[in-house]
């Protein structure tokens, strides 16, 4: 049992060794490189100045160009917003115009319906008067016929022979 545990410990420690050795060798190399490189401060300053003198004007020109582009884009966006607003207003006006046109059409329809209703009212009034006249005429004719019948009945009664009264 102890032998197995030692083998397990040995295998794990062996796998850690190469990793640890690798890290230590990297640290030794980096420290040895730093120790070996000697840098002159004046040379670094001059190289930095030269680098900046060479690239700085181009970078500043690029920065100005980008700022100008950004400003132009802002102006373009504002202009586009204004144009979109104008188009929306135009569409709203077109919608209003179509609504007014539609309102005129419906108004004309209402006026026509009103005229028709007035005309129909006049016709019904005339028809009612005519119907009343016809009814009165029929009643008059019926009354005259009734009177004529009564006259004929009376006449027939008078024509019927009456027995003589005995005295």
């Amino acid at each position: 049992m102890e032998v197995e545990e030692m083998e397990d410990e040995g295998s794990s420690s062996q796998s850690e060794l190469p990793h640890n050795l690798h890290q230590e060798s990297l640290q030794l190399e980096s420290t040895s490189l730093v120790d070996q490189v000697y840098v002159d401060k004046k040379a670094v300053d001059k190289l930095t100045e030269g680098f900046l003198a060479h690239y700085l004007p181009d970078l500043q020109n690029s920065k100005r160009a980008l700022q100008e582009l950004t400003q132009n884009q802002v102006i373009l966006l504002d202009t586009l917003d204004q144009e979109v607003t104008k188009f929306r207003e135009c569409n709203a006006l077109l919608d209003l115009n179509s609504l007014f046109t539609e309102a005129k059409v419906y108004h004309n329809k209402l006026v026509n319906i009103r005229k028709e209703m007035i005309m129909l009212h006049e016709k019904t009034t005339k028809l009612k008067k005519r119907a009343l006249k016809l009814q009165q005429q029929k009643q008059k004719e019926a009354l005259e016929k009734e009177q004529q019948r009564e006259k004929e009945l009376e006449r027939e009664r008078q024509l019927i022979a009456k027995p003589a009264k005995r005295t």
Side-chain angles (χ1 to χ4, degrees):
M1 194 84 133
E2 289 178 19
V3 176
E4 288 177 8
E5 287 177 10
M6 286 185 161
E7 287 176 4
D8 289 339
E9 286 176 12
S11 63
S12 64
S13 62
Q14 286 175 358
S15 62
E16 290 177 10
L17 278 179
H19 190 275
N20 288 338
L21 284 177
H22 182 65
Q23 286 179 349
E24 288 176 13
S25 64
L26 285 177
Q27 287 175 353
L28 287 175
E29 287 176 16
S30 64
T31 54
S32 63
L33 286 176
V34 171
D35 292 338
Q36 292 175 359
V37 176
Y38 172 72
V39 179
D40 186 15
K41 288 268 188 188
K42 289 181 182 178
V44 170
D45 288 341
K46 286 186 178 184
L47 284 172
T48 304
E49 285 177 29
F51 181 80
L52 287 176
H54 187 278
Y55 287 108
L56 192 61
D58 289 338
L59 288 173
Q60 287 176 338
N61 288 338
S62 298
K63 183 179 179 181
R64 274 189 243 116
L66 285 173
Q67 286 174 341
E68 188 177 329
L69 272 173
T70 305
Q71 288 174 348
N72 289 339
Q73 282 180 340
V74 168
I75 292 169
L76 278 173
L77 285 174
D78 290 341
T79 306
L80 280 174
D81 283 341
Q82 291 172 357
E83 291 297 319
V84 167
T85 304
K86 286 179 186 177
F87 280 122
R88 285 184 181 151
E89 289 173 359
C90 287
N91 285 337
L93 287 176
L94 290 176
D95 290 344
L96 283 176
N97 288 335
S98 66
L99 284 175
F100 279 119
T101 304
E102 198 173 333
K104 285 180 184 178
V105 168
Y106 285 120
H107 177 73
N108 289 336
K109 284 183 179 183
L110 285 173
V111 168
N112 290 336
I113 289 172
R114 185 170 181 245
K115 286 179 183 177
E116 283 183 37
M117 288 180 72
I118 290 171
M119 186 178 65
L120 288 174
H121 178 70
E122 289 173 359
K123 283 184 179 180
T124 55
T125 305
K126 286 180 183 178
L127 284 174
K128 283 180 182 178
K129 285 181 183 178
R130 186 172 171 207
L132 184 62
K133 283 182 184 178
L134 285 174
Q135 186 180 11
Q136 288 174 350
Q137 188 178 1
K138 281 187 178 184
Q139 285 177 351
K140 191 177 183 183
E141 286 175 5
L143 184 63
E144 286 175 2
K145 280 185 181 179
E146 188 64 33
Q147 287 176 352
Q148 184 71 27
R149 250 192 232 150
E150 284 181 17
K151 282 183 185 177
E152 284 180 20
L153 284 174
E154 187 63 33
R155 195 169 160 210
E156 281 182 24
R157 279 188 213 151
Q158 287 176 358
L159 289 177
I160 293 180
K162 294 182 187 176
K165 290 185 183 180
R166 292 185 198 180
T167 38

